[in-house]
Amino acid sequence: MKMSRLTSDLDLNRIQMKNVTEVTVFILMGFTDDFEVQVFLFLLFLAIYLFTLIGNLGMVVLIIGDSRLHNPMYYFLSVLSFLDSCYSSVVTPKMLVNFLNENTVISYLGCVAQMFLAITFGTTECFLLAVMAYDRYVAIYNPLLYSVSMSPRVYVPLIIASYVGGILHASIHTVATFSLSFCASNEIRHVFCDIPPLLAISCSDTHTNQLLLFYFVGSVEIITILIVLISYGFILLAILRMHSAEGRRKVFSTCGSHLTGVSIYHGTILFMYVRPSSSYALDHDMIVSTFYTIVIPALNPVIYSLRNKDVKEAMKRVFGKNGWINKVSFYSKT
């Protein structure tokens, strides 16, 4: 009788644990329940998303189509533009649907896929921005050997390594996060499946996950920022040795846009993830994460095109010398 009762109790516990851990859907709570505000946000983010796709995919087409832009610097820029389009597309379409739909459910597997892809593209972009800084160092510090130092045998593996690093980093966090139990709630206070809001609704011990988040994201940030700083340190030395004012102006023009993009992107990432879990404020963090997943991909085409003479010239050749590109160029100088 005791053995039978013990077996029955164990089976009951298994059934209860199975029911606890088998979350099949999550609910994305979003920004607000006010319908008028949701309509406004829908129109705003739809405009941003369309601008992101047109700007970034247009940049990819421009670089592929113009032979004058066929060099490693612009190949890296085309990969960055493609990444930004994918990064925004992982989050924005679902968010737009949820603005106009009372049912804001996302499936368990959909949430897993969204988190994995968002972390993959986000981390790949971190590595790629570091690679782009190294590319600028090679081009400016020793321009005569640039074509040899940054040949296809070099830049293609660098691009592949960036993607591999992103995939590995995403795999670690995705597996660690979805190994947890979600029994307290399935309501995610966010517009997409991100790590901190999912840890917040888990009923498991998330201490290990917090450490993984802090140390892995911190390591990626330290490594990539160090590469950027060291590369630009050597670039600064090269600039100081230049006697031509025109040469210095061109270097500042090409490097300034990259430094702007790096500063904005890494600044938001550091604020979002590399801090104690006690300082997380989900509503505030939702705005910050929306900024780097949706707004920054829209800003990058502007940052990398309006201050880049080669890109502006290529745009003029494609769209015509008397079109709206001249107006954009004029306003970017003022």
Side-chain angles (χ1 to χ4, degrees):
M1 285 292 291
K2 288 184 179 180
M3 285 298 294
S4 177
R5 182 177 297 175
L6 181 61
T7 304
S8 178
D9 290 340
L10 287 171
D11 289 341
L12 181 60
N13 286 334
R14 288 194 187 100
I15 291 169
Q16 289 174 342
M17 285 301 295
K18 187 176 181 182
N19 290 335
V20 164
T21 56
E22 274 193 359
V23 173
T24 57
V25 295
F26 292 100
I27 300 171
L28 296 169
M29 302 302 290
F31 291 106
T32 178
D33 293 328
D34 189 314
F35 182 71
E36 291 182 358
V37 176
Q38 286 181 328
V39 171
F40 170 75
L41 291 174
F42 171 82
L43 295 174
L44 174 64
F45 285 111
L46 177 62
I48 293 173
Y49 182 55
L50 291 175
F51 184 82
T52 300
L53 292 183
I54 293 169
N56 284 293
L57 296 180
M59 183 73 75
V60 173
V61 172
L62 189 69
I63 292 169
I64 293 173
D66 194 312
S67 59
R68 293 179 180 87
L69 300 180
H70 288 183
N71 65 62
M73 173 184 172
Y74 294 108
Y75 291 148
F76 289 133
L77 183 55
S78 67
V79 174
L80 178 67
S81 297
F82 175 74
L83 271 176
D84 280 335
S85 298
C86 294
Y87 199 8
S88 184
S89 295
V90 169
V91 174
T92 312
K94 177 62 177 173
M95 184 180 69
L96 292 174
V97 170
N98 287 348
F99 280 138
L100 302 180
N101 193 353
E102 291 184 3
N103 182 11
T104 60
V105 166
I106 184 171
S107 69
Y108 186 92
L109 290 178
C111 195
V112 172
Q114 190 179 57
M115 176 186 284
F116 176 78
L117 291 173
I119 299 172
T120 296
F121 293 131
T123 308
T124 302
E125 184 159 337
C126 283
F127 288 126
L128 188 67
L129 289 171
V131 168
M132 290 171 72
Y134 172 71
D135 170 69
R136 290 299 80 212
Y137 151 70
V138 173
I140 294 166
Y141 201 75
N142 202 341
L144 295 177
L145 295 176
Y146 178 63
S147 59
V148 177
S149 302
M150 199 54 70
S151 65
R153 294 179 61 182
V154 176
Y155 69 75
V156 171
L158 286 174
I159 293 171
I160 293 172
S162 297
Y163 272 99
V164 170
I167 291 168
L168 290 175
H169 188 230
S171 300
I172 291 167
H173 288 298
T174 305
V175 170
T177 301
F178 288 96
S179 297
L180 300 172
S181 300
F182 299 97
C183 54
S185 172
N186 67 340
E187 295 182 349
I188 302 173
R189 291 176 58 190
H190 213 293
V191 292
F192 68 96
C193 292
D194 200 10
I195 301 171
L198 276 165
L199 298 185
I201 64 171
S202 173
C203 53
S204 302
D205 181 8
T206 61
H207 180 67
T208 301
N209 298 76
Q210 299 288 356
L211 290 177
L212 285 174
L213 188 62
F214 183 82
Y215 287 115
F216 274 92
V217 176
S219 298
V220 170
E221 286 295 302
I222 289 170
I223 291 168
T224 53
I225 290 174
L226 274 177
I227 293 171
V228 171
L229 291 176
I230 292 169
S231 297
Y232 275 100
F234 283 110
I235 288 171
L236 182 61
L237 290 176
I239 291 172
L240 294 175
R241 293 174 183 172
M242 288 182 180
H243 301 291
S244 168
E246 177 64 22
R248 290 185 179 182
R249 188 199 63 78
K250 187 174 181 180
V251 170
F252 280 122
S253 176
T254 55
C255 294
S257 58
H258 181 255
L259 272 177
T260 303
V262 168
S263 301
I264 295 172
Y265 188 75
H266 282 286
T268 53
I269 295 290
L270 285 168
F271 175 83
M272 185 67 194
Y273 297 109
V274 188
R275 57 197 171 104
S277 59
S278 58
S279 65
Y280 285 133
L282 293 179
D283 291 337
H284 191 246
D285 292 350
M286 180 164 50
I287 297 171
V288 176
S289 59
T290 301
F291 182 78
Y292 73 77
T293 54
I294 298 173
V295 178
I296 290 179
L299 292 176
N300 278 344
V302 178
I303 293 170
Y304 288 100
S305 63
L306 293 185
R307 291 182 58 85
N308 190 301
K309 183 179 178 181
D310 293 336
V311 172
K312 286 191 287 187
E313 290 296 325
M315 292 171 78
K316 288 178 184 178
R317 286 192 292 271
V318 172
F319 295 106
K321 292 185 178 181
N322 297 318
W324 60 273
I325 296 299
N326 280 333
K327 295 179 182 179
V328 173
S329 301
F330 171 77
Y331 287 120
S332 68
K333 293 176 183 177
T334 59

